Amino acid sequence: MISDHLQVIDFNKKLKSWYLKNHRPLLWRQTTDPYKIWLSEIILQQTRVAQGTPYYEKFLENYPTVFDLADADERDVLRLWQGLGYYSRARNMHFTARQIVSEFGGKFPETAVTLSKLKGLGHYTAAAIASFAFNEPVAAIDGNVYRVMSRIFGIRSDMLSNEGKKEFAKVAKALISQEDPATYNQAMIEFGAIQCVPVSPNCTICPFNDICYAYAYNVQNELPVKAKKLKVKNRFLNYFIIEQGGKLAMQERNTKDIWKGLYDFFLVESTARVESPEDLTDNDTLLALQRKGNIRQIPKLYIHLLTHQKLHVQFWWVTIPENEHLDLPGNIYFFSKNEVETLPKPILIDTLLKEEKYL
DNA sequence: GACGCGTGGCC
DNA sequence: TGGCCAAGCGT
C-alpha cells in the first residue's frame, strides 16, 4: 500500500508527466467554466467520449449558459438528449440549472460538499467539478480511477460496495496532489481511459509497471472486483401506432418505468409473444381499434436491449378513418407530424418511425 | 444495500 | 453472435 510521502510524490510526478505527454485534447478540458464542465460530466456518466461528444457540442450551441438551459422547456432538453440514454440525467440537469439560476443567481457552488447537494451530482461529479473548475483538492473517483487504483495497489475489495468505496477513497485521499488537484484528477481518469484500459492493457509501456500489483501477478483481468450484475428480464411490448388524418397518437411515459418523460404509443404489454391483437387481453381501446381501424402488422419483431431488460417489441400500424371518433385513454393525444418530430422519443420509437417512412 | 435506468461499440 | 460494459446517480 502507498503510505510513504515520498512514494506519493513520485507517483504524482510520474502520473503528471504521463498525462502531459499523452492526454487527448478534449473540448471540456480547455475551460474552467463550471457550466461547461458540469455539462460534460453529466453527459459522460456511463457514456463513452465518442458517443457523448456530439451531444456536448449540441448542448453548448443550444444552451451556451446555465441561464439558457434554465429557460428551456424540459421537453426540448429531452429531445436534444434523445439517443444518449439514461434520460434522468437530462431531467435532473434541467432541474438543477433552474435551481442554480433561482437560488444562486446563476453561479455554481464552489465546493464538492455543496455541489453534491444538487440533483444529479453524486460524489464523483461534485468532486470533478470542484477540482476542475475551482481547484479544490478532492479526489474524483470514477470507474477509471477505481480500475487504476485497484490494479496498481492491489485493492481487491468490491468497488461497488460501501466498504470498498471507503477503502478506495482512503487511498485516493492519500494520493491527491494538493498543489494541482485538477491535473491530478484529470490524469488519473485519463490514465484509466487510455492506458490502464479494462481489457488487454498494454502494460509494457506503462510508467507504473515497476510498482503495479496487477502486472506483477498478471491479474489485470481480475481487477477491479465488481459485484456481478443481475439477470436480464424479458418483456413483451405490443405497440399500436394510431394514425388519423396524418396525425399520430402518442403518450408521455410518466410511470416509474423505462423512458420516463419520453413519448411512445398506445401500449399493451403481454407475458409472451403474441401473433395477433386478438391474443391480447381485452381492453376498451384495443376493441375500438379493431372495430374502427384498419390494422396492419409491422412484419419485423424488434429486439431492443436495455441494461437489464430485453424488450421483444411488436408494432401494429392502425389507420382510423377521419370520420370515425375514437376514445383514447386520457394520457394519449394526437400530434401532427411536425410535433411528433419534436417530441423526445426512445431510439426504438424514432427508428420505427423512420423505417416506416413517417419521419 | 439492492436495484433500476439507455445506447452503441467491441470482440 | 450475444455478452460485456462506458467519466454514476436516485430511490
Side-chain angles (χ1 to χ4, degrees):
Chain A
M1 190 62 52
I2 199 146
S3 51
D4 187 282
H5 186 57
L6 292 177
Q7 285 180 345
V8 170
I9 290 176
D10 187 51
F11 179 87
N12 276 329
K13 208 173 144 189
K14 272 188 178 172
L15 179 68
K16 188 163 182 174
S17 137
W18 173 90
Y19 179 73
L20 294 177
K21 203 180 300 176
N22 295 288
H23 76 87
R24 298 162 293 176
L26 303 174
L27 287 173
W28 45 89
R29 291 208 181 113
Q30 327 289 328
T31 181
T32 54
D33 178 348
Y35 172 68
K36 294 182 184 174
I37 292 167
W38 171 57
L39 178 61
S40 74
E41 291 300 336
I42 302 299
I43 287 175
L44 290 173
Q45 286 170 5
Q46 301 289 283
T47 304
R48 292 168 197 283
V49 166
Q51 190 186 2
T53 299
Y55 286 84
Y56 176 79
E57 295 175 338
K58 279 198 300 185
F59 266 83
L60 268 192
E61 268 170 44
N62 283 267
Y63 311 119
T65 71
V66 70
F67 297 98
D68 301 306
L69 182 58
D71 280 343
D73 287 332
E74 184 186 274
R75 189 188 279 184
D76 295 330
V77 175
L78 278 170
R79 180 62 180 82
L80 206 57
W81 196 271
Q82 181 176 299
L84 200 52
Y86 285 156
Y87 296 93
S88 67
R89 290 184 290 172
R91 288 187 277 110
N92 289 337
M93 191 172 74
H94 181 241
F95 179 94
T96 293
R98 292 193 162 177
Q99 191 183 1
I100 286 173
V101 167
S102 63
E103 282 185 32
F104 304 104
K107 240 172 84 69
F108 277 74
E110 301 190 0
T111 66
V113 169
T114 354
L115 283 162
S116 65
K117 293 185 165 56
L118 302 171
K119 240 186 191 172
L121 281 83
H123 280 109
Y124 164 73
T125 306
I129 298 171
S131 67
F132 299 161
F134 305 112
N135 227 37
E136 187 186 1
V138 282
I141 312 175
D142 72 346
N144 292 306
V145 179
Y146 279 117
R147 186 169 57 253
V148 171
M149 289 195 297
S150 74
R151 284 179 177 167
I152 294 183
F153 305 118
I155 305 173
R156 288 182 166 280
S157 49
D158 176 7
M159 60 176 260
L160 298 179
S161 73
N162 276 341
E163 203 184 3
K165 281 178 191 164
K166 269 191 210 163
E167 190 178 346
F168 280 97
K170 205 170 156 186
V171 177
K173 196 173 177 183
L175 282 175
I176 189 168
S177 157
Q178 301 294 316
E179 295 74 36
D180 189 0
T183 307
Y184 166 84
N185 279 332
Q186 292 280 16
M188 281 293 273
I189 295 167
E190 187 74 344
F191 185 78
I194 65 179
Q195 169 60 41
C196 195
V197 293
V199 179
S200 310
N202 181 4
C203 300
T204 58
I205 60 164
C206 177
F208 298 111
N209 60 13
D210 55 335
I211 61 163
C212 180
Y213 172 94
Y215 183 62
Y217 294 98
N218 196 28
V219 290
Q220 295 93 321
N221 293 333
E222 295 172 28
L223 295 172
V225 175
K226 270 194 234 188
K228 38 193 158 283
K229 54 226 158 287
L230 14 75
K231 250 199 228 152
V232 172
K233 279 182 191 156
N234 286 302
R235 288 177 73 179
F236 300 86
L237 308 185
N238 307 278
Y239 275 121
F240 294 86
I241 308 166
I242 306 168
E243 178 179 15
Q244 188 172 37
K247 294 185 167 189
L248 292 193
M250 303 198 73
Q251 66 176 333
E252 183 182 358
R253 297 187 60 87
N254 264 325
T255 53
K256 264 184 72 173
D257 196 353
I258 57 175
W259 299 328
K260 184 171 179 217
L262 277 59
Y263 286 74
D264 63 359
F265 310 117
F266 175 57
L267 169 64
V268 182
E269 188 162 355
S270 52
T271 54
R273 187 180 170 186
V274 302
E275 300 292 332
S276 99
E278 280 127 51
D279 299 333
L280 294 166
T281 39
D282 278 359
N283 159 320
D284 288 345
T285 305
L286 196 49
L287 292 173
L289 292 181
Q290 290 168 309
R291 198 165 60 245
K292 298 177 174 174
N294 170 44
I295 303 185
R296 170 175 67 88
Q297 180 168 14
I298 308 291
K300 193 158 131 197
L301 178 74
Y302 287 79
I303 302 292
H304 189 79
L305 299 170
L306 307 180
T307 308
H308 55 287
Q309 295 186 30
K310 181 174 183 177
L311 306 180
H312 305 248
V313 186
Q314 178 64 62
F315 291 98
W316 282 275
W317 197 285
V318 188
T319 311
I320 307 286
E322 298 213 38
N323 58 359
E324 286 283 3
H325 173 74
L326 191 64
D327 277 322
L328 289 173
N331 55 340
I332 304 188
Y333 303 98
F334 278 106
F335 292 91
S336 71
K337 181 178 296 205
N338 283 339
E339 290 169 328
V340 171
E341 159 64 27
T342 65
L343 292 179
K345 301 169 286 295
I347 211 68
L348 166 72
I349 301 296
D350 195 68
T351 300
L352 185 281
L353 289 176
K354 281 172 178 154
E355 289 189 4
E356 287 300 310
K357 310 264 191 271
Y358 181 82
L359 284 183

